[in-house]
Amino acid sequence: MPNQAVLLELTQPVAPEIIEQAMTHLVEHHDALRLRYRETDGVWTQEIGADCSPSFFREDDIENLAALQASLHLTEGPILRAAYLRPRPS
């Protein structure tokens, strides 16, 4: 299943907890970011997931970017993933 990734580089340090808090508020406010999709007998339906768990946010190494993208799931969620990626060691 294709998905879209956007990599943003910070110009100033930001604590990962601040990003997680902002993303939590965003997902709580926008129901579409909690959507789940199901196919039954060839018919797709959507429902809004009840929870807004922080499972959509991770702090990780940039080497794991492909795994982060692969962890998106239309039926179980999340359909959105935000990550604070630590740079490669010099």
Side-chain angles (χ1 to χ4, degrees):
M1 176 81 42
N3 60 51
Q4 181 178 12
V6 176
L7 182 62
L8 305 172
E9 187 173 345
L10 300 173
T11 58
Q12 297 178 355
V14 176
E17 298 81 21
I18 299 297
I19 298 170
E20 181 177 12
Q21 186 178 51
M23 293 300 299
T24 298
H25 288 298
L26 182 72
V27 172
E28 286 174 348
H29 183 74
H30 293 286
D31 293 342
L33 298 176
R34 296 190 311 275
L35 283 174
R36 306 294 183 258
Y37 297 88
R38 301 212 188 280
E39 181 185 13
T40 306
D41 299 325
V43 176
W44 284 91
T45 58
Q46 64 185 18
E47 60 184 46
I48 297 172
D51 70 338
C52 182
S53 67
S55 66
F56 63 85
F57 181 83
R58 285 192 202 170
E59 191 174 348
D60 211 333
D61 295 319
I62 199 160
E63 285 83 11
N64 296 328
L65 186 56
L68 288 169
Q69 280 186 278
S71 68
L72 299 174
H73 200 279
L74 285 177
T75 58
E76 302 301 320
I79 62 169
L80 166 74
R81 170 89 55 215
Y84 184 91
L85 300 173
R86 294 180 290 269
R88 290 182 178 103
S90 319

